[in-house]
């Protein structure tokens, strides 16, 4: 209901209202009114009835939604409603109409809708607004129902529907509330509630449904007529008052099956061998009390004939059953090729799983495979090539296979076999193949021309001329060799002369080729065996060496033989004078050193009383060949102590590393480069400072030293160069004495100054000299600068490019000074 009302400003004026006389009355407020669709137009169908609390005369009215058909007309005074349009329930099963009642001042409008259920009533004895009652539903949002707040009519919400199959009973709580009023000086509202029980009555609106679906039935192929298969069961969906069910086939039963109409039992009508399908449709219909078929439902049943396994698989050829098949093909057919000459069919006359079997091909290797591998009833058998390389005539002239068919899921496991014989024809499918990928041969260097070197062999399994092979050799190393085309024997040219010292290794290729040009290659490695035909040899038969105590000297001999052990040399000291027991020699490297207990010259002096600490050794160099050759050399060794030179630690360092000139050179060059960089940086900074100050700088003051007695400066000899003679090694030559510059640095910016140079003698050898600064470069035609003894750095003006090797100059100086120390000691000794 929709209740629209208004009232006058007077407190005693109340709105009129309709009488509610229930759903089966023909007068009142038209609530829950129903009308037959065959009611004739013009019939008076209802009378609206209401009153006004003040006794005023009331008027009635009806109205419809805009655009909708107006089925009724009402007399305003009497309230009689007349049907003015024909009704058709199939087109419209409910009509929405608004009725109204008015006393001239207030008007009440009711909207009459479908789905009205119950009218709730509540009485409030108060007058005025305190006695005016309105209705509400508790939990309105989740309820299927709604209530008109003024009339109390309970209805189903629009769009909702009651379903007996889901919920049979609903409980609805209705709240009645008055309009409020003054009580003890305060405004007060009062309410009450009641619970309404709504019982849903089932309607015939649900079709029958089958129970226990899906349905599957089975019947043996030998079953007799009338045999029951299974029973289908259906129920009326309206469980409140269900109708009986009647069963039938929908779409036919093929004359094979029947069904009991009331029980749903399906039975056999004839031999099931005539069955052409498995799926059937069953219809369940409701039957009214009058015997009329009403609503219905469908289901599907599957009925299968159970086959008995009474037939084994059978192979067939073109002319019927066959258990042997033969075919002739060339070897190595392409992989995946079908052997079309084999026409094989396999069949099992049973049905279903009894006719399901596997196919297997049993034979040598996995050269062939069968398709399909699983068969149901019948199939064309295809044999495919799976391994072409294995189908080799040289290995198998014919292949024999067993084709096996075995049932899968039967207890009997029936089977059948057939023989397949494949005859292979030969082709030239093989190239000649060497027995080895490469051949290693050895021949002595003194072998005469025409000597056999090695014999190569090949195999070609092809038949006939395809298996005949010819040999040839080629390559840069084949010039000295020949090969016999038929036998594969490799030998030297008649004029060939092999010398291991000239060339000891040869390699070339040998080719084996059949009649159709198929070939293969192998590599041949020939080693010319060295004979021990060269003795060891020293560079000179008389060698001179200087040995510093604690450091070895080394001698070396060369053997011109090409291979070990002929060119491996062992060294030994055969004799030593004046004492034979102070030296050891490394037999592999030729290094000669003093025995470990000799650590100073004092021990040497105790061994020999001679002032000349020189030994003569006879050293033998012997190779390890068979037969063994040897040679000897006389080695004269002068022994001295390791004494630091004037250069201090630098000299000691050079002497200790005299056998590693590159390390000495790198150290000296690095130190000189560092000093040059420092000098350039200091000079540049000083120049920039003076340029800014624009000052005139004073000259450098020079102090002169008194010149002590003059001594010789020694010529610079390279210690790493073997001297031409003993005399040259121990001879000191006089050279022009280099001036020594002595200066006191007054201003660091004076890179060019007046310097007084003096000839200063070389001081006596110190006991522990310090590391000297690097030597400056020497320019031809000028006197060489010596190292200043003051803190200032005096740099000579650059001249033209150096010619002498700086490293050679340093080395010569150090060796010469070492010789000088040795001569001085000899002179001072008694």
């Amino acid at each position: 209901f929709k209740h629209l009302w208004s009232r006058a400003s007077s407190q005693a004026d109340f709105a009129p209202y309709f009488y509610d006389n229930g759903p089966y009355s023909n007068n009142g407020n038209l609530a829950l009114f129903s009308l037959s669709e065959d009611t004739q137009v013009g019939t008076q169908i209802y009378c609206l009835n209401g009153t006004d609390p003040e006794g005023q005369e009331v008027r009635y009215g009806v109205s419809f939604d805009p655009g909708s058909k107006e089925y009724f007309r009402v007399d305003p005074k009497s309230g009689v409603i007349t049907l003015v349009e024909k009704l058709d329930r199939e087109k419209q099963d409910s009509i929405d109409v608004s009725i109204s009642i008015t006393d001239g001042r207030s008007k009440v409008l009711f909207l009459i809708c479908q789905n009205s259920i119950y009218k709730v009533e509540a009485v409030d004895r108060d007058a005025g607004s305190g006695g005016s009652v309105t209705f509400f539903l508790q939990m309105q949002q989740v309820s299927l129902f709604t209530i008109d707040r003024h009339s109390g009519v309970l209805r189903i919400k629009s769009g909702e529907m009651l379903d007996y199959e889901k919920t049979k009973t609903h409980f609805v709580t209705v709240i009645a509330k008055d309009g409020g009023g003054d009580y003890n000086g305060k405004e007060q509202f009062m309410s009450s509630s009641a619970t309404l029980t709504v019982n849903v009555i089932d309607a015939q609106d649900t079709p029958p449904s089958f129970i226990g679906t899906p349905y599957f039935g089975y019947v043996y192929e030998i079953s007799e007529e009338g045999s029951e298969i299974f029973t289908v069961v259906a129920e009326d969906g309206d469980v409140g008052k269900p109708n009986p069910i009647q069963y039938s086939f929908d779409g036919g039963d093929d004359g094979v099956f029947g069904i009991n109409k009331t029980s749903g039992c399906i039975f056999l009508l004839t031999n099931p061998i005539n069955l052409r399908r498995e799926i059937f449709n069953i219809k369940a219909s409701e039957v009214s009390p009058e015997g009329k078929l009403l609503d219905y439902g469908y289901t599907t049943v599957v009925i299968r004939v159970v086959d008995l396994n009474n037939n084994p698989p059978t192979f067939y050829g073109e002319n019927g059953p066959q258990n042997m098949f033969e075919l002739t093909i060339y070897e190595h057919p392409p992989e995946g090729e079908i052997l079309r000459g084999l026409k094989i069919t396999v069949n099992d006359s049973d049905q279903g799983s009894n006719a399901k079997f596997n196919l297997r091909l049993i034979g040598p290797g996995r050269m062939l495979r069968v398709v399909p591998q699983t068969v149901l009833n019948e199939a064309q058998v295809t044999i495919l090539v799976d391994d072409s390389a294995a189908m080799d005539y040289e290995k198998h002239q014919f292949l024999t296979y067993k084709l096996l068919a075995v049932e899968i899921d039967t207890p009997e496991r029936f089977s059948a076999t057939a023989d397949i014989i494949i005859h292979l024809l030969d082709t030239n499918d093989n190239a000649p193949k060497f027995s080895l990928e490469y051949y290693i041969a050895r021949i002595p260097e003194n072998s005469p021309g025409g000597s056999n070197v090695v014999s190569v062999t090949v195999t070609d399994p092809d038949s006939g001329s395809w298996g005949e092979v010819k040999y040839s050799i080629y390559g840069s190393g084949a010039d000295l060799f020949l090969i016999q085309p038929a036998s594969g024997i490799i030998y030297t040219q008649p004029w060939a002369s092999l010398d291991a010292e000239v060339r000891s290794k040869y390699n070339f290729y040998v080719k084996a080729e059949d009649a159709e040009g198929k070939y293969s290659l192998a590599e041949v490695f020939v080693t010319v065996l060295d004979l021990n035909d060269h003795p060891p040899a020293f560079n000179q038969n008389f060698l001179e060496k200087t040995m510093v105590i604690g450091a070895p000297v080394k001698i070396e001999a060369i053997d011109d033989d090409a291979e070990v052990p002929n060119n491996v040399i062992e060294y030994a000291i055969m004799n030593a004078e004046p004492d034979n027991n102070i030296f050891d020699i490394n037999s592999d490297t030729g290094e000669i050193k003093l025995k470990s207990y000799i650590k100073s010259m004092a021990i040497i002096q105790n061994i020999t009383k001679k002032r000349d600490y020189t030994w003569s050794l006879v050293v033998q160099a012997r190779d390890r060949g068979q037969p063994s050759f040897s040679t000897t050399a006389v080695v004269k060794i002068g022994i001295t102590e390791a004494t630091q030179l004037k250069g201090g630690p630098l000299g000691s360092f050079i002497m200790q590393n005299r056998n590693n000139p590159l390390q000495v050179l790198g150290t000296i060059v690095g130190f000189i480069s560092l000093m040059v960089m420092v000098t350039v940086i200091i000079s540049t900074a000083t120049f920039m400072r003076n340029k800014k100050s624009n000052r005139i700088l004073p000259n450098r003051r020079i102090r002169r030293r008194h010149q002590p007695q003059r001594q010789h400066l020694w010529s610079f000899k390279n210690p790493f160069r073997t001297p031409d003679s003993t005399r040259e090694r121990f001879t000191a030559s006089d050279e022009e004495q280099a001036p020594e510059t002595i200066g006191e640095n007054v201003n660091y910016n004076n890179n060019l100054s007046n310097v007084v140079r003096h000839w200063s003698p070389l001081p006596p050898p110190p006991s522990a000299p310090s590391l000297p600064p690097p030597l400056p470069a020497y320019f031809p035609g000028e006197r060489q600068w010596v190292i200043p003894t003051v803190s200032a750095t005096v740099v000579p003006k650059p001249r033209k490019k150096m010619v002498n090797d700086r490293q050679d100059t340093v080395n010569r100086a150090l060796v010469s000074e070492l010789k000088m120390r040795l001569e001085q000691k000899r002179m001072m000794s008694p």
Side-chain angles (χ1 to χ4, degrees), residues 352-371:
S353 61
N354 290 333
K356 187 176 182 180
F357 54 92
N358 285 336
L359 288 177
R360 295 175 56 194
L361 197 61
I362 302 174
R366 297 182 180 179
M367 298 178 236
L368 304 175
R369 62 186 174 95
V370 62
V371 175

Side-chain angles (χ1 to χ4, degrees), residues 313-430:
T314 305
F315 291 102
Y316 294 87
E318 293 181 309
N319 301 319
Q322 186 174 335
N323 59 6
M324 180 177 287
F325 302 87
E326 292 189 74
L327 179 66
T328 301
I329 60 173
Y330 282 101
E331 63 175 338
H332 304 303
E335 292 186 1
E337 181 175 305
I338 299 174
L339 302 184
R340 302 186 184 280
L342 297 175
K343 298 181 179 179
I344 309 172
T345 303
V346 65
N347 174 271
D348 191 323
S349 301
D350 293 321
Q351 300 296 321
S353 61
N354 290 333
K356 187 176 182 180
F357 54 92
N358 285 336
L359 288 177
R360 295 175 56 194
L361 197 61
I362 302 174
R366 297 182 180 179
M367 298 178 236
L368 304 175
R369 62 186 174 95
V370 62
V371 175
Q373 295 184 351
T374 302
V375 179
L376 182 62
N377 290 117
E378 184 176 292
Q380 182 74 33
V381 179
T382 301
I383 306 297
L384 301 175
V385 177
D386 206 31
D387 189 352
S388 174
M391 299 183 68
D392 193 350
Y393 172 83
E394 286 73 30
K395 297 178 181 178
H396 314 280
Q397 278 72 42
F398 63 90
L399 305 170
T400 301
Y401 284 86
K402 287 282 187 181
L403 182 60
L404 180 63
V406 182
E407 291 179 349
I408 301 174
D409 298 325
T410 64
E412 297 81 7
R413 302 280 289 181
F414 289 138
S415 63
T417 59
D419 293 325
I420 298 178
I421 301 175
I422 308 296
H423 297 275
L424 297 178
L425 301 177
D426 191 23
T427 61
N428 187 23
D429 58 319
N430 294 289

Side-chain angles (χ1 to χ4, degrees), residues 241-255:
K241 190 178 180 181
N243 289 322
I245 304 298
Q246 179 177 307
Y247 302 95
S248 63
F249 277 96
D250 184 71
D253 54 16
D254 293 350

